[in-house]
Amino acid sequence: MLVYTAATELEAEVALTEFEKKYSSRYAMISKSWRANWSRVAPMFSYPEEIRRAIYTTNAIESLNMTLRKIIKTRASFPSDEAAFKLLYLALQNISKKWTMPIRNWSAAMNQFSIIFEGRVPMNGLNSFTQTS
């Protein structure tokens, strides 16, 4: 969908309108969901393209969320919040071993993060996150 790759919020809205004109009869809920959640989507367009690319690459995020939900769902209850946090921490440790595909152009996104959030993104150790683009 062209909304994801639009350069500005205005271009994204135009792309969404075009999508609605073409597909609203077949995919009405998609357009409705986009419109209902536009205030959550719009801030994405204030970031540079390198960061937006990292944000809208959601397959890994959706997979992570699904795995964490599956782990939590199999437990009837937790004796404490700490027990739940420990389970999620251990699950993340196991899941992270499977992450072998780097995010495309991650080094460019990290450069933008370090500029926008100066002082909040540690510059030491970035090599472990970067890849050749």
Side-chain angles (χ1 to χ4, degrees):
M1 181 177 223
L2 295 176
V3 174
Y4 290 112
T5 57
T8 65
E9 183 180 350
L10 181 59
E11 285 181 26
E13 286 188 82
V14 169
L16 181 56
T17 301
E18 291 299 315
F19 176 85
E20 288 172 326
K21 287 178 186 175
K22 190 172 182 180
Y23 296 108
S24 64
S25 62
R26 290 178 64 193
Y27 305 109
M29 288 307 298
I30 293 174
S31 301
K32 195 173 189 177
S33 176
W34 273 93
R35 293 289 181 196
N37 293 293
W38 192 255
S39 64
R40 294 178 180 167
V41 175
M44 176 176 79
F45 297 102
S46 66
Y47 293 105
E49 180 184 354
E50 295 86 357
I51 292 177
R52 288 197 323 262
R53 221 180 281 145
I55 291 171
Y56 65 65
T57 306
T58 61
N59 287 342
I61 296 166
E62 290 170 5
S63 174
L64 173 65
N65 289 337
M66 180 191 69
T67 305
L68 292 176
R69 277 193 306 269
K70 185 177 176 183
I71 289 167
I72 296 269
K73 189 176 182 181
T74 60
R75 307 291 190 277
S77 65
F78 294 96
S80 67
D81 288 348
E82 187 177 345
F85 288 134
K86 284 181 180 179
L87 179 68
L88 291 173
Y89 173 80
L90 293 172
L92 287 170
Q93 292 298 312
N94 288 331
I95 293 166
S96 67
K97 293 174 186 172
K98 298 176 185 176
W99 294 337
T100 57
M101 294 291 293
I103 295 173
R104 180 177 287 173
N105 299 319
W106 181 247
S107 59
M110 283 303 294
N111 287 332
Q112 291 297 321
F113 280 127
S114 67
I115 292 167
I116 294 170
F117 302 107
E118 185 175 359
R120 292 174 59 191
V121 176
M123 294 306 292
N124 57 347
L126 277 184
N127 290 338
S128 63
F129 294 108
T130 58
Q131 72 173 47
T132 55
S133 299

